[in-house]
Amino acid sequence: MSPSPAPAAPRPPLRVALAGIGVVGGGVVRLLETNRDLIARRAGRSIEIVAVSARDRHKDRGIDLSPYRWEDDMDALVAADDVDVVVEMIGGADGSALTLARHALGAGKALVTANKAMIAHHGLSLARLAEAKDTPLKYEAAVAGGIPVIKAIREGASANLIARVYGILNGTCNYILTQMERGGASFADALADAQAEGYAEADPTFDVDGIDAAHKLSILAALCFGTRLDIGAVTANGIRGLIAADIREAEALGHRVRLIGMAERDQNGLYQHVQPCLVPADHPLAYVPGALNAVVAEGNFVGRLFFEGAGAGAGPTASAIVADIIDIARDEYGPAFAMPVDALDAAPVADAGARVGKHYVRLIVEDRIGVLAEIATAMRDAGVSIESFIQRGTDEEDGVVIVLVTHEGPTRAIEAALAALAASDHVVGTPMRMPILAL
Amino acid sequence: MSPSPAPAAPRPPLRVALAGIGVVGGGVVRLLETNRDLIARRAGRSIEIVAVSARDRHKDRGIDLSPYRWEDDMDALVAADDVDVVVEMIGGADGSALTLARHALGAGKALVTANKAMIAHHGLSLARLAEAKDTPLKYEAAVAGGIPVIKAIREGASANLIARVYGILNGTCNYILTQMERGGASFADALADAQAEGYAEADPTFDVDGIDAAHKLSILAALCFGTRLDIGAVTANGIRGLIAADIREAEALGHRVRLIGMAERDQNGLYQHVQPCLVPADHPLAYVPGALNAVVAEGNFVGRLFFEGAGAGAGPTASAIVADIIDIARDEYGPAFAMPVDALDAAPVADAGARVGKHYVRLIVEDRIGVLAEIATAMRDAGVSIESFIQRGTDEEDGVVIVLVTHEGPTRAIEAALAALAASDHVVGTPMRMPILAL
């Protein structure tokens, strides 16, 4: 045997401080302890937790934090000479999370965060701070939990002009929709089930109204299109308006209802919208069950890429956070949004009303003479062409359910027709409109 | 307005030479031309083709190569001072592809390759050359075409102990199986269709016998488990033995037949096998249609990750190749197999016969008294426990089709039973055995 070359001197450990030790923080501690040796092999150096900080030192977290230095003041993590990376797991768009992030980057520390709200609202200013100090800002866990979709788009699909990016970005909503599919449950019952199972918060607003998905979508859009993050331009409609009949009728039409966040850039500008949609049964998003997340990116050379996995939870989120830390340990990182902030475009907001597509429309009407004519007239007057019209004669929710599928047409026309009908004495509640996802 | 900071000096272009201009090479030229400005923004520098080389200068490739320096001798690409990256698209495990790869890395050039056979057979020695010269060796396009699965596993899932990695790694076979599902076609007819559509070669051996999938699987296994590439340890059974009844009976059992490459590492060693399997209808691999590829990785923190996309073709393959080039342009790369070659384990080959699972077994038998008893006896003697037994009384392929589903048991026992039955005068042809994928 010929002698092996002398091994290179091992690199020093990467020293990590954790701020905020809740469910996710506990997952990160467990992951770094459990997979310690494996991670050191893959990263080429060991990754050491040196300090932790959270609001309540004495809370029982089910993990032993005694090996790590405790800091009551999070800024002590930033000031410490023995900290290379600060991991922000406090949450919230502003407040102490943002203060910590700014201080850490300003001090030239690497910052890893799972905080989608903070990145959606302040990602550009944080990226500027990171650029000024030439230090990494990483946020893989902020979008679609354990799925490495930030990396897949920033790097894996980097050769492509992306036409659109879309997906199931909120596991709570997908769990509720799956429950409604399986059991024919109402939204209220499915939500209660999700709350009992720990998939939904006591106040579910953030999830079911699409706000959480909107944060994630704005981040994906910036990465895919090279545009400035613009959370203010994302429109979000949640799933509260869905009734059991919507799920059933969608199924009868060969579709499934999913809350889809979609961003698309064309000559009219950038469109960013979170809303329930009908997904054709031959599209992979139709098969994403329970609390999973999934993201689709369509590139001009690669075609359609589809990524699925756990969108939340201690383990998957920790997996994404530690992947970011490993990238930093390997020195494999670059600008947070793939290019310097000054190179990002400020895309104009596209006119959503001009968007052309097929739509599902559901109305609940009083069972009386003339109602069908009223609907048909409103559609005709707004220039909406009807492909199919379904009235099964089954009563539900104080009236008769009527479902229409439109031909391709501008969203604005359908909205005009529905606004006219919503004002009618014979239409009960608010009509539901859902785009049918084009393949 | 406050003045902007002076921009950093732009980095010099990354200069690329292409070796082998077939379908994929043409795709790379088109991609780098079409998305040129976009790529320069994302990479932080422009990427320039400076030279090309192929066997036949005068072949009509449908693209204009005149802007680029032509070299008849591929080694001239290696010798050229103005080349930073050599892209190998010649193909074949050995021969001129391997020679070029060795020369390029030996000269300290970066090497990007789509060549799964070469990486499977020579990946370790090439990675050593790259390490010695501290130059990148990248091969995203070698596995699952346009899906960034090498990156997703090397980096995205890097925090996880991977229990198993598996997937649909050959689009030709998946196209054939999908055709058999849809039309009830025979293997021969579906193969002819795939050949007519350009999804299968005139000599389909490499694809339908699982050799191509085996190459890809060995690469995934090395990355997932931190083990030395060992193509010799991969067992491959292709799809030639499948008949229409297998597809039909699998469907009746709530499954679909897919050619699955699977690698799993446990205390018994490393198991690497390509074979047709029954995939349960509630597993996402059951919904992968046509010529697509899909890969599943199961990590101890992230859970199940699923990636789907185009596994071949000029556009998707070029997308993966150029993503590698962009990583190099960004200086975001590290050891080819995630860690230095010397840090990889030499995992023992697991005993495939000891593997426990449920199996689908299909026999064609003569329709005569005593055959059922013979089958039941062979199974009993080998210690195989039967969960279900189906004989529909339909003749096919010179006999009666009998399908069994076993309870969980070692593969060796089923193989022993089938070996005994294959020797029987009443069994026609070779029995088919397929594992049922465990969720």
Side-chain angles (χ1 to χ4, degrees), chain A residues 4-5 27 30-32 34-35 38-39 41-44 140 146-148 151-162 223-227 265 282 284 287 289 292 300-310 314-320 322-324 326-327 330-335 338-340 342-345, chain B residues 4-5 27 30-32 34-35 38-39 41-44 140 146-148 151-162 223-227 265 282 284 287 289 292 300-310 314-320 322-324 326-327 330-335 338-340 342-345:
Chain A
S4 297
R30 256 186 293 269
L31 197 169
L32 285 171
T34 307
N35 292 349
L38 178 73
I39 288 170
R41 281 176 73 204
R42 291 196 183 136
E140 181 66 77
I147 312 173
K151 181 171 286 286
I153 288 174
R154 183 187 181 280
E155 300 158 35
S158 59
N160 291 268
L161 178 70
I162 305 284
L223 265 182
C224 282
F225 305 119
T227 48
R265 191 181 184 184
D282 56 352
Y287 298 97
L292 294 184
N300 65 338
F301 277 77
V302 75
R304 186 168 82 195
L305 291 171
F306 175 80
F307 308 102
E308 181 190 280
T317 308
S319 169
V322 177
D324 278 347
I326 294 172
D327 276 353
R330 288 169 165 169
D331 289 327
E332 297 176 17
Y333 61 85
M339 58 187 82
D342 282 339
L344 296 169
D345 290 338
Chain B
S4 297
R30 255 186 294 268
L31 197 169
L32 286 171
T34 307
N35 293 349
L38 178 74
I39 289 170
R41 282 176 74 204
R42 291 194 183 139
E140 181 65 79
I147 312 172
K151 180 170 285 287
I153 288 173
R154 183 187 181 280
E155 301 159 34
S158 59
N160 292 268
L161 177 71
I162 305 283
L223 265 182
C224 283
F225 305 120
T227 48
R265 190 180 185 183
D282 57 353
Y287 298 96
L292 294 184
N300 66 338
F301 277 76
V302 75
R304 187 169 81 195
L305 291 171
F306 176 79
F307 309 102
E308 182 190 279
T317 308
S319 169
V322 177
D324 279 347
I326 294 172
D327 275 354
R330 289 169 164 168
D331 290 326
E332 297 177 16
Y333 61 84
M339 58 188 83
D342 282 339
L344 297 169
D345 290 339

Side-chain angles (χ1 to χ4, degrees), chain B residues 23 27 34 48 52 86 190 197 213 245 294 315 320 345 370 382 401 410 418 429:
Chain B
V23 172
T34 307
E48 311 279 0
V52 298
V86 173
E197 296 292 323
D345 290 339
V401 173
L418 293 184

Side-chain angles (χ1 to χ4, degrees), chain A residues 212-242:
Chain A
D212 172 73
H215 288 148
K216 297 168 184 168
L217 180 64
S218 70
I219 298 170
L220 289 177
L223 265 182
C224 282
F225 305 119
T227 48
R228 288 165 192 246
L229 269 164
D230 187 4
I231 181 68
V234 187
T235 324
N237 303 111
I239 61 170
R240 286 187 205 262
L242 290 168

Side-chain angles (χ1 to χ4, degrees), chain B residues 41-72:
Chain B
R41 282 176 74 204
R42 291 194 183 139
R45 57 201 289 202
S46 68
I47 292 174
E48 311 279 0
I49 301 171
V50 293
V52 298
S53 179
R55 256 187 313 206
D56 180 0
R57 182 166 190 172
H58 303 290
K59 184 175 162 188
D60 179 12
R61 296 175 169 88
I63 47 170
D64 178 13
L65 293 174
S66 66
Y68 313 118
R69 186 169 80 238
W70 180 274
E71 299 285 3
D72 282 317

Side-chain angles (χ1 to χ4, degrees), chain A residues 37-112:
Chain A
D37 295 343
L38 178 73
I39 288 170
R41 281 176 73 204
R42 291 196 183 136
R45 58 201 289 203
S46 69
I47 292 174
E48 311 279 359
I49 301 172
V50 293
V52 298
S53 179
R55 257 186 315 207
D56 180 0
R57 180 165 192 173
H58 303 291
K59 184 175 161 188
D60 179 11
R61 296 175 168 87
I63 47 170
D64 178 13
L65 293 175
S66 66
Y68 314 117
R69 185 168 81 237
W70 180 274
E71 299 284 2
D72 282 316
D73 176 7
M74 291 193 185
D75 265 344
L77 305 178
V78 172
D81 285 340
D82 65 351
V83 171
D84 303 309
V85 182
V86 173
V87 183
E88 184 280 306
M89 296 173 289
I90 303 160
D94 302 281
S96 55
L98 183 61
T99 302
L100 178 75
R102 286 180 173 154
H103 289 183
L105 292 169
K109 308 283 193 203
L111 183 75
V112 173

